[in-house]
Amino acid sequence: MYGRRASQLLKEIDSSEAGQLAPFNSDVFDQVIRECNEHNSQFQTLIRKMVDQNLDIETTRNEDHYGAAIHHLSLLRNKRCLMAYMYNRAEVIQSFRWKVGPVLPHDIQGKLHFSEKEYFKNHSTAIKSYISEMDIDLTVDMVPPKDPYIQVRVLEDIGEVSLGDHSVSLTKNSLHFLRRTDAEQFISQGLMEEFLE
Amino acid sequence: MSSWNDDEDLASASAAEAATTDVELLKRAWRNEKAAPEILRFDSPLVSRVREQIQLLEETLDDFSDSGVDDLVVSLYQMDLDRTLFLLRSYLRLRLQKIEKYAMHIARSDDLLSRLSQQERRFTKSPGSDGSAFLVVGLVPSCSEIMEKHLEQSVLSKLPYGYDSVTRQSLSSTEDDMVPEPQLDTFVFCKTKSDVGAFQLDDIGEEVVDLVADDLYVLRYKSIKGLIESGRIDLI
């Protein structure tokens, strides 16, 4: 059945949770590409057959024309599915830049196609360039602020960090009273957590 | 700027004046941007004014910590600063994320490009955009270019000739039918600021709605686009 493998890719996108990526399915992807090229050569063969019989391609409506039409439309469907697959994954990758930061952890990197890794890097650079042009950090302050200072507990050894005009020693399991914007970047990396009594 | 000055001037200033402080305007722009499906016009003067005021507030706070002002007052000013900063950051972030999503669509429309700030425009589309940004060392490629390159590299280069265009399905497509666009006819909640009177909702003239001041409505975004731009309706 034409187009069934391509819809498998789409089902994969549909069934994964929002904001999560499944590993890149290169097997099915390559199969769909092969299908496309198959369709194309079949299409060309049929068209050539009609030309050899001196039939006008634009207007003739025989079984070859319809066969060619089916191949053409199946190719288009496969193309749309492939593009949708890549595009939707790219959208999730975009969201990673905001949620996780400019460097992706290894387990996510393992799920990406090499072109997606490049896409992430270029996209990150573009965002960084915009942020530095505007001179406002857009990756902090993701949630409306309730308190200017929060209590945090350090989860992993970070060492000496200079915040504002004084430096703080962030050792594991120590409690600190930090400005919210300073703490946010550590919290999003999972190195700190908010300490709620 | 902040609600603090408003409280002090409450005796003299009228309520109408207080409602149009820059923070209020920013909040309104932020709310509209959040609810609208497409990107709205960038209010450049408003953003510059807000940034100046943020700077002023930061300096005031520095002075406070030097002169030993009461902690409670300091933290209240700090709170105000944080909230304004959040609004500004969120406003810019919302816009950037909309651009990320519809980069190719925006890059191809002069009208949409004109709604962006200069920096946003550079983010969306490189000047001269013929893919040259990838070749010139040191020049940052734009969002739309990056997406196109990614799609070409992964999918299109492997497809047969005639089917390898990013914007068209195949050579037989009559228009650019593969560019994702925002849905302009989604329903949005809105509130009128003043009497608009009888308003035509669609082109055919079949649906006419009477819009009264300060009322809540749920309408298709496309129909009220013009009213939002002129500021007579707010999205919520």
Side-chain angles (χ1 to χ4, degrees):
Chain A
M1 178 70 210
Y2 294 152
R4 185 171 283 165
R5 289 209 193 92
S7 64
Q8 224 183 306
L9 289 177
L10 293 181
K11 277 197 206 119
E12 200 184 278
I13 298 261
D14 195 37
S15 59
S16 49
E17 289 167 22
Q20 303 275 24
L21 263 190
F24 185 80
N25 198 335
S26 32
D27 284 334
V28 180
F29 191 83
D30 290 337
Q31 278 174 14
V32 178
I33 299 269
R34 263 197 300 272
E35 251 186 52
C36 285
N37 286 308
E38 253 303 305
H39 281 304
N40 189 45
S41 60
Q42 295 282 356
F43 176 77
Q44 302 287 359
T45 315
L46 289 171
I47 294 287
R48 224 172 299 135
K49 190 163 153 214
M50 285 171 63
V51 167
D52 286 343
Q53 292 170 349
N54 283 320
L55 298 167
D56 182 2
I57 313 179
E58 306 272 314
T59 50
T60 319
R61 297 282 180 267
N62 63 355
E63 66 269 13
D64 287 339
H65 164 87
Y66 289 115
I70 292 189
H71 282 297
H72 171 73
L73 292 171
S74 306
L75 220 179
L76 285 186
R77 171 127 170 63
N78 279 346
K79 175 178 175 178
R80 286 197 304 271
C81 290
L82 288 174
M83 297 282 271
Y85 183 66
M86 295 311 288
Y87 191 77
N88 278 287
R89 286 177 66 93
E91 282 194 329
V92 179
I93 293 174
Q94 283 166 11
S95 72
F96 284 157
R97 175 62 176 80
W98 296 105
K99 273 200 306 213
V100 181
V103 182
L104 290 177
H106 278 296
D107 52 346
I108 295 187
Q109 286 224 25
K111 298 184 186 169
L112 300 181
H113 183 250
F114 95 92
S115 183
E116 293 178 328
K117 289 190 191 134
E118 242 189 79
Y119 174 73
F120 179 77
K121 205 165 55 134
N122 288 328
H123 190 255
S124 261
T125 314
I127 289 189
K128 198 164 76 146
S129 164
Y130 174 80
I131 285 181
S132 61
E133 267 192 69
M134 296 293 284
D135 199 22
I136 295 191
D137 189 355
L138 294 185
T139 54
V140 295
D141 238 351
M142 302 296 265
V143 195
K146 280 210 291 223
D147 268 314
Y149 287 88
I150 53 171
Q151 263 207 314
V152 285
R153 185 162 71 104
V154 184
L155 295 174
E156 311 216 353
D157 256 321
I158 308 173
E160 285 281 320
V161 172
S162 83
L163 298 165
D165 51 353
H166 56 272
S167 64
V168 188
S169 167
L170 300 171
T171 51
K172 191 167 175 182
N173 284 326
S174 56
L175 289 172
H176 296 277
F177 202 55
L178 294 180
R179 212 178 254 181
R180 212 177 24 81
T181 37
D182 292 333
E184 231 179 357
Q185 45 160 332
F186 293 113
I187 294 179
S188 68
Q189 285 176 44
L191 299 168
M192 266 190 203
E193 65 177 11
E194 204 172 326
F195 185 72
L196 305 151
E197 290 182 53
Chain B
M1 104 173 183
S2 60
S3 42
W4 286 109
N5 292 331
D6 291 341
D7 277 357
E8 288 171 47
D9 296 337
L10 206 53
S12 43
S14 62
E17 232 181 272
T20 52
T21 58
D22 283 337
V23 176
E24 285 294 323
L25 287 174
L26 181 61
K27 206 189 266 188
R28 176 176 171 263
W30 173 75
R31 258 199 315 257
N32 280 348
E33 196 73 62
K34 207 160 204 233
E38 60 171 1
I39 197 158
L40 302 173
R41 198 156 291 279
F42 185 74
D43 195 339
S44 200
L46 172 64
V47 172
S48 336
R49 285 199 310 270
V50 170
R51 293 185 77 157
E52 273 173 23
Q53 288 164 9
I54 286 180
Q55 187 128 357
L56 215 66
L57 201 52
E58 280 176 339
E59 285 168 17
T60 315
L61 271 175
D62 282 337
D63 289 342
F64 279 175
S65 57
D66 288 338
S67 62
V69 173
D70 186 25
D71 263 347
L72 183 62
V73 175
V74 171
S75 68
L76 288 169
Y77 270 83
Q78 176 74 51
M79 201 54 235
D80 198 31
L81 174 66
D82 280 348
R83 287 161 89 150
T84 313
L85 260 177
F86 170 77
L87 270 182
L88 183 62
R89 285 197 176 116
S90 191
Y91 177 65
L92 294 173
R93 211 171 21 229
L94 278 170
R95 291 179 62 91
L96 210 63
Q97 284 167 343
K98 271 190 204 172
I99 296 178
E100 272 179 344
K101 212 170 160 152
Y102 300 115
M104 277 161 52
H105 172 69
I106 295 179
R108 287 160 61 247
S109 155
D110 283 334
D111 170 52
L112 290 178
L113 279 172
S114 70
R115 297 187 198 174
L116 306 181
S117 71
Q118 256 195 3
Q119 296 91 340
E120 287 172 343
R121 226 168 291 151
R122 272 196 287 274
F123 175 76
T124 314
K125 178 179 182 170
S126 307
S129 71
D130 47 355
S132 53
F134 276 102
L135 302 171
V136 180
V137 177
L139 195 57
V140 180
S142 65
C143 200
S144 54
E145 277 179 344
I146 300 172
M147 175 60 91
E148 281 186 30
K149 176 168 186 254
H150 170 59
L151 289 173
E152 272 164 24
Q153 217 176 285
S154 52
V155 178
L156 298 169
S157 55
K158 309 191 180 148
L159 290 180
Y161 173 73
Y163 297 90
D164 52 2
S165 156
V166 158
T167 47
R168 293 185 182 213
Q169 287 195 66
S170 70
L171 285 180
S172 51
S173 307
T174 45
E175 45 172 24
D176 292 335
D177 44 6
M178 285 203 75
V179 180
E181 288 182 23
Q183 295 278 56
L184 293 181
D185 49 5
T186 42
F187 280 97
V188 287
F189 284 87
C190 55
K191 184 170 180 175
T192 46
K193 297 205 352 222
S194 54
D195 257 338
V196 174
F199 183 68
Q200 204 174 302
L201 281 186
D202 53 14
D203 298 327
I204 327 170
E206 267 183 22
E207 284 178 56
V208 181
V209 147
D210 198 13
L211 298 173
V212 180
D214 275 341
D215 252 357
L216 284 175
Y217 295 91
V218 178
L219 300 166
R220 286 193 195 278
Y221 174 78
K222 207 165 27 175
S223 333
I224 52 170
K225 219 168 90 136
L227 290 176
I228 297 175
E229 272 182 47
S230 57
R232 299 167 76 186
I233 271 196
D234 277 343
L235 296 178
I236 39 179

